[in-house]
Amino acid sequence: MPAPESKEPKMDNKDEKMTDADTVQKPKSPEEITALVLNDIKQNFVFLDKAAVNFEPRFSMRVLRGLGNLRRRLTPDILVSTVDAAYPSPSHKSAALILKYLGKEESTMEVDESSSDSSTPVVLPEIDIYVLVLLQVYLLDQGDLVKLNSFNDEAITILRGYNRRTLDALAAKMWFYYAYGKELNKQVVELRPLLLAVLRTSTLRHDTETRAMLTTLLLRNYLHTQAISQAHQLVLKVDFPESAATSVVARYLYYVGRIKAIQLDYSAANESLIGAIRKAPQTSYAAGFLQAAHKLKVIIELLMGDIPERSWFREPMYEKALSPYMDLVKAVRIGEVPQFSDTIEKYGAVFKKDGTYMLILRLRQNVIKTGIRMMSLSYSKISLRDICIRLHLDSEESAEYIVAKAIRDGVIEATIDHEKGFMQSKEILDIYSTQEPNMAFHERIKFCISLHNESVKAMRYPMNQHRVELKNVEEAREREKELASEIQEGDMEDDDGDFDGL
Amino acid sequence: MPQKSFETRARELASAFAAKDYERCSHLLPQLKVTLSQLNILVPRLSSDLELLAVARDILEIGALTAIFLRDDLLFSRYIAQLSPFYAMKDKIQPPSSNEKKVIALRLLLLLSKNDIAEFHTELETLEDEADKDVYIRYPVMLERWLMEGSYDKVWKATTQRSEVPAEEFAIFADILVDTIRSEIATCSEKAYPSLPLMNAKHLLFFTEDADLVEFIDQRGWSTKDGRIYFPQESTDPLESGLPMENIIENTLGYARELETIV
């Protein structure tokens, strides 16, 4: 069975990374599990500290990557202990907020309040926001939307009080869950002015992560309410920072691809989607996104006139999700309109849920074109009446007009003889004598060059390492000089020896 | 006081429109729009009075339909732009408008006649399902489908036969659409037929008079001989056009430059 096989190697990786968290293999007592999770969270605090001190965004990214794993193991008790560990006293604003939402106010109120008078150690904002995000995720997973939304409002007010660049990645995450909560609560339209205002602020502050995330959230918002021209305007006017996290860039490219597809710019849409699929993580965690992206890609390829490869549909991750699309591809390939209409009716609800229904309706003309193309390729001469019958068209007149249009669009190479009522195909031209191979090569070369440039730009060198290298280089040079001088002296001695020999 | 005269004027407008007195309508409308903006309902906000919003919407719709009858595209587009926030809030404004679908369908038809297919599809996305259910909206959607497929005879029937057209406003677009179809068919015919007898050409292009046909032929620049039309042939032999040297040189220089650039 393909599915479990693909999961097991990933499980092994997880075990290697967290040798102390054997919770996957061996069931442990609840206290031990709690202790292990707390350990992980405290480790994350250390990372966040390092990130703030060294201005290295990579530590925050690492912490956030662990968020997906952590969220499955959160319980109210763990969160309470986290609050104790993170905040010096429960009277701290965020601590009080979190405890309120966990419903645990009374139990921890006994802690001494005298500590609030003495100089309390300042809580690192990163840790503050991180714990707030943990609670957001927890409330979301509990499905408690009302609590989530009111918590979000207060958490966002805390977030906007800070203005630190090291908070960028965490802030972006918080905004994501905020917007998602509102979307689930159907408060989509009211969200827009706020998102736009925060986008302006983050652009002024050069806050790339938040900017990227907010642009993506706004696009999602517009597409949700079908306000496509507004989404298009946003894409045109806002510069998307390409240096943001790849997951956000992948989402952005997907939305851009969607907008372009609706506006009939299929080749640009295809490029965006290919970029989105490449940038998305290829693991099973991103399955939902990859499935959605692949569905859209299939439709766009069909609209461009290409048939997508069958090998995709067989991959275990996509098989079930893409099976209606596979039927669709089959119908388009055969070129028969009744079968196409049947497929649409059968899977209509699925397509509407995926939001691809309107795009699929456009495929009707592609079906007819494919049908005509097959006729033209297989028959050198075919009467219009036969075309009409085979393609299930309504009348011979329509058939004639449709074939004429197909010829004009370049779908087939043929001529029509009106009086005798038939279509005659032209001879097939040798493709190597045209420009086609040259252009195909050009496209591929262009792509490889851009890939090469991007890889060179993305290479990272640890800072100050080159100074160490320089030192090494200097030492090496000195050694070389010594060697060279030794060799020279050695040579002269030998020469003397030779003379003697003679 | 302004309220009363506003209502009377609104009623006057409605009766003038029903009587098909479009000149009078276009005279009354600007004054009404000024009153609307004074009452703060020209642009609907959540704070506006909801009842009056319905009245405002109806007035703007009458304005849009009048513009169609007066064949003023720009005016129609302006009314549509003013109407769109009303339609966006349609859950809140009661009663729902009876003219809404008609106005939207007319907008789609206008886009189609201008050949603005991208905008057409963008607007269509916002409509989702209603395309099949509503008779007004089905009209431009089906037209677009037939135009894309190339079954121009269906388009011809739909635009010229009164029985197919859902409302009179749509008939006004008939002329523009027929012109569009004719030029499409002509372009297709140039590529598809080596030559065509005149009688068939007349039939294909939906002409009734020979004189129209001759005029059209002159316009397109075709040549006639012995009662047949000959279309100008393009030489499609690729070898004749010579090696595309410039292109190849340009590309190769580009590659060399990219490879040597220090990124």
Side-chain angles (χ1 to χ4, degrees):
Chain A
M1 301 291 278
E5 278 170 18
S6 61
K7 287 235 169 83
E8 276 180 349
K10 287 171 194 121
M11 278 209 187
D12 289 335
N13 285 342
K14 274 200 293 195
D15 282 345
E16 281 165 11
K17 269 190 211 157
M18 294 176 294
T19 44
D20 49 330
D22 279 326
T23 48
V24 182
Q25 303 282 13
K26 294 180 239 168
K28 293 202 167 177
S29 64
E31 293 89 31
E32 286 175 333
I33 298 181
T34 319
L36 288 169
V37 177
L38 266 183
N39 256 345
D40 286 335
I41 298 185
K42 289 207 181 117
Q43 180 118 30
N44 286 340
F45 287 169
V46 172
F47 282 137
L48 287 171
D49 202 23
K50 261 203 230 167
V53 168
N54 295 342
F55 276 105
E56 280 276 354
R58 277 182 284 150
F59 289 117
S60 331
M61 297 293 219
R62 198 159 152 198
V63 167
L64 283 175
R65 248 178 270 148
L67 188 69
N69 191 357
L70 210 53
R71 92 196 247 187
R72 263 168 260 147
R73 303 188 285 161
L74 286 177
T75 68
D77 293 324
I78 294 182
L79 284 168
V80 172
S81 328
T82 317
V83 170
D84 279 338
Y87 300 105
S89 87
S91 52
H92 187 274
K93 212 170 71 165
S94 313
L97 183 65
I98 296 177
L99 291 171
K100 189 171 92 176
Y101 276 91
L102 282 175
K104 301 254 191 229
E105 285 184 78
E106 293 84 24
S107 53
T108 46
M109 269 318 193
E110 339 151 340
V111 181
D112 55 297
E113 295 174 15
S114 56
S115 58
S116 53
D117 299 333
S118 54
S119 55
T120 45
V122 175
V123 177
L124 207 56
E126 283 78 19
I127 298 187
D128 190 6
I129 301 293
Y130 178 61
V131 178
L132 288 173
V133 171
L134 277 177
L135 189 65
Q136 266 186 321
V137 164
Y138 173 70
L139 284 174
L140 181 67
D141 287 336
Q142 294 291 309
D144 198 342
L145 289 178
V146 177
K147 255 194 187 174
L148 176 67
N149 272 320
S150 47
F151 174 72
N152 274 343
D153 288 327
E154 302 191 37
I156 286 291
T157 356
I158 297 182
L159 174 67
R160 293 177 92 178
Y162 292 120
N163 181 10
R164 289 161 65 114
R165 293 287 64 75
T166 41
L167 267 184
D168 288 352
L170 294 160
K173 264 287 177 229
M174 183 170 264
W175 278 113
F176 174 71
Y177 286 115
Y178 177 74
Y180 190 46
K182 292 269 181 231
E183 192 183 307
L184 288 173
N185 216 12
K186 310 216 191 298
Q187 287 174 313
V188 173
V189 184
E190 292 88 7
L191 198 52
R192 271 182 217 164
L194 179 64
L195 286 180
L196 284 168
V198 182
L199 181 62
R200 276 200 293 275
T201 325
S202 57
T203 317
L204 283 172
R205 291 182 186 166
H206 291 283
D207 185 351
T208 18
E209 286 295 333
T210 321
R211 216 171 104 205
M213 178 64 83
L214 281 169
T215 317
T216 319
L217 286 174
L218 272 169
L219 279 179
R220 187 190 163 92
N221 195 316
Y222 287 132
L223 282 173
H224 193 81
T225 48
Q226 310 284 3
I228 294 163
S229 35
Q230 280 176 292
H232 182 59
Q233 292 296 323
L234 185 72
V235 170
L236 286 179
K237 301 266 158 76
V238 169
D239 266 332
F240 187 79
E242 294 285 334
S243 54
T246 39
S247 56
V248 182
V249 178
R251 274 189 220 135
Y252 175 75
L253 285 171
Y254 171 74
Y255 291 131
V256 166
R258 213 134 160 201
I259 297 172
K260 294 224 153 85
I262 294 176
Q263 298 186 316
L264 292 158
D265 192 356
Y266 298 132
S267 24
N270 201 18
E271 274 180 36
S272 295
L273 275 179
I274 294 182
I277 293 179
R278 285 221 183 94
K279 295 218 161 156
Q282 299 292 332
T283 60
S284 62
Y285 290 122
F289 176 76
L290 282 173
Q291 280 169 359
H294 271 285
K295 283 179 198 170
L296 198 55
K297 190 163 186 310
V298 166
I299 305 281
I300 292 182
E301 284 206 3
L302 286 175
L303 283 166
M304 287 205 302
D306 301 326
I307 310 280
E309 292 174 36
R310 192 179 276 247
S311 54
W312 284 355
F313 291 99
R314 294 234 187 89
E315 273 187 58
M317 194 158 51
Y318 307 129
E319 222 176 324
K320 247 192 333 188
L322 289 182
S323 71
Y325 292 85
M326 171 108 132
D327 286 344
L328 190 66
V329 172
K330 276 191 212 146
V332 173
R333 219 167 127 247
I334 296 178
E336 288 200 4
V337 180
Q339 189 171 346
F340 176 72
S341 312
D342 284 338
T343 318
I344 290 189
E345 269 197 46
K346 192 163 140 201
Y347 293 113
V350 175
F351 292 146
K352 280 187 196 156
K353 200 169 70 122
D354 288 337
T356 45
Y357 187 64
M358 301 303 293
L359 290 172
I360 292 180
L361 284 181
R362 290 186 213 167
L363 278 174
R364 203 153 171 275
Q365 25 156 330
N366 285 62
V367 176
I368 299 184
K369 285 201 176 111
T370 317
I372 296 183
R373 199 188 321 181
M374 288 205 304
M375 297 276 130
S376 151
L377 287 176
S378 20
Y379 294 88
S380 59
K381 208 159 138 179
I382 179 170
S383 74
L384 290 172
R385 178 155 206 74
D386 278 334
I387 296 183
C388 171
I389 296 176
R390 273 169 212 268
L391 293 179
H392 307 275
L393 297 171
D394 291 330
S395 70
E396 225 178 283
E397 269 196 7
S398 319
E400 187 167 352
Y401 284 125
I402 292 179
V403 171
K405 184 161 198 291
I407 296 177
R408 200 273 295 266
D409 289 337
V411 172
I412 55 180
E413 296 274 330
T415 50
I416 307 181
D417 189 332
H418 183 88
E419 290 135 24
K420 300 197 190 120
F422 63 81
M423 168 182 94
Q424 176 153 25
S425 316
K426 283 197 199 146
E427 292 171 10
I428 301 180
L429 202 55
D430 178 18
I431 200 164
Y432 275 98
S433 63
T434 64
Q435 283 271 50
E436 294 284 327
N438 194 13
M439 293 202 285
F441 274 129
H442 181 61
E443 289 297 315
R444 290 185 199 179
I445 295 178
K446 243 182 12 186
F447 173 71
C448 289
I449 287 183
S450 69
L451 192 60
H452 173 256
N453 286 344
E454 273 183 37
S455 328
V456 172
K457 278 189 215 166
M459 289 208 281
R460 286 184 194 280
Y461 300 96
M463 278 175 61
N464 296 333
Q465 199 69 4
H466 68 281
R467 291 214 193 114
V468 177
E469 276 185 23
L470 270 182
K471 226 171 54 171
N472 291 343
V473 165
E474 295 232 354
E475 284 172 13
R477 258 195 232 135
E478 285 178 21
R479 266 183 268 129
E480 265 190 51
K481 274 192 216 147
E482 287 175 15
L483 272 174
S485 49
E486 274 179 38
I487 292 174
Q488 266 188 331
E489 289 164 16
D491 273 342
M492 292 210 282
E493 286 173 10
D494 279 344
D495 279 346
D496 290 346
D498 281 341
F499 268 160
D500 285 351
L502 275 175
Chain B
M1 291 306 114
Q3 186 83 344
K4 197 164 178 238
S5 70
F6 167 61
E7 279 176 13
T8 36
R9 269 189 282 156
R11 250 176 278 140
E12 222 184 296
L13 178 71
S15 57
F17 182 72
K20 297 190 198 292
D21 187 357
Y22 302 121
E23 288 300 326
R24 183 147 175 65
C25 286
S26 63
H27 181 66
L28 285 170
L29 275 164
Q31 298 166 345
L32 273 171
K33 282 208 313 202
V34 170
T35 328
L36 283 179
S37 61
Q38 280 170 349
L39 290 172
N40 224 1
I41 48 175
L42 190 59
V43 179
R45 282 176 250 271
L46 287 168
S47 52
S48 323
D49 188 348
L50 291 177
E51 281 179 18
L52 288 179
L53 280 182
V55 177
R57 186 194 56 207
D58 291 334
I59 294 178
L60 287 175
E61 277 171 5
I62 294 183
L65 292 171
T66 319
I68 288 281
F69 280 115
L70 294 174
R71 293 175 192 247
D72 191 343
D73 293 345
L74 283 175
L75 194 59
F76 179 69
S77 309
R78 239 180 286 147
Y79 274 111
I80 292 281
Q82 283 172 334
L83 272 172
S84 48
F86 282 93
Y87 290 148
M89 281 177 65
K90 72 172 152 194
D91 310 325
K92 304 204 171 82
I93 307 181
Q94 295 298 332
S97 158
S98 57
N99 278 331
E100 180 182 334
K101 299 279 188 282
K102 206 201 277 194
V103 171
I104 296 181
L106 283 169
R107 162 138 174 88
L108 287 174
L109 202 52
L110 182 68
L111 288 172
L112 193 59
S113 63
K114 288 202 191 133
N115 221 9
D116 196 351
I117 309 287
E119 263 309 303
F120 183 88
H121 278 287
T122 315
E123 290 273 341
L124 202 56
E125 280 286 327
T126 54
L127 290 174
E128 288 271 351
D129 256 346
E130 301 164 38
D132 291 331
K133 295 182 202 140
D134 184 72
V135 65
Y136 291 125
I137 298 193
R138 204 188 311 161
Y139 185 70
V141 170
M142 297 308 284
L143 278 185
E144 195 263 343
R145 207 180 281 179
W146 289 328
L147 268 181
M148 284 292 130
E149 274 174 14
S151 17
Y152 297 117
D153 56 329
K154 292 205 191 108
V155 180
W156 170 255
K157 255 186 271 170
T159 44
T160 48
Q161 287 174 9
R162 295 283 138 161
S163 55
E164 300 281 323
V165 175
E168 345 170 357
E169 289 92 347
F170 294 91
I172 297 180
F173 284 100
D175 295 330
I176 312 178
L177 282 169
V178 167
D179 279 336
T180 318
I181 321 176
R182 278 212 188 107
S183 65
E184 288 283 313
I185 299 180
T187 326
C188 294
S189 317
E190 279 169 17
K191 294 260 172 68
Y193 300 98
S195 73
L196 206 57
L198 275 170
M199 291 310 296
N200 298 72
K202 198 168 96 172
H203 179 68
L204 278 179
L205 290 166
F206 307 117
F207 282 119
T208 42
E209 302 287 324
D210 281 342
D212 291 335
L213 178 63
V214 172
E215 201 185 310
F216 192 76
I217 293 178
D218 284 334
Q219 235 178 20
R220 301 291 300 201
W222 299 337
S223 53
T224 50
K225 210 166 81 160
D226 299 335
R228 296 182 76 89
I229 309 180
Y230 290 93
F231 304 107
Q233 294 285 341
E234 294 172 21
S235 90
T236 50
D237 189 3
L239 293 177
E240 260 185 24
S241 42
L243 282 176
M245 280 192 298
E246 281 179 25
N247 209 6
I248 299 181
I249 293 177
E250 215 179 291
N251 283 347
T252 324
L253 283 179
Y255 303 149
R257 199 174 355 121
E258 289 285 334
L259 283 174
E260 292 300 312
T261 327
I262 303 173
V263 177

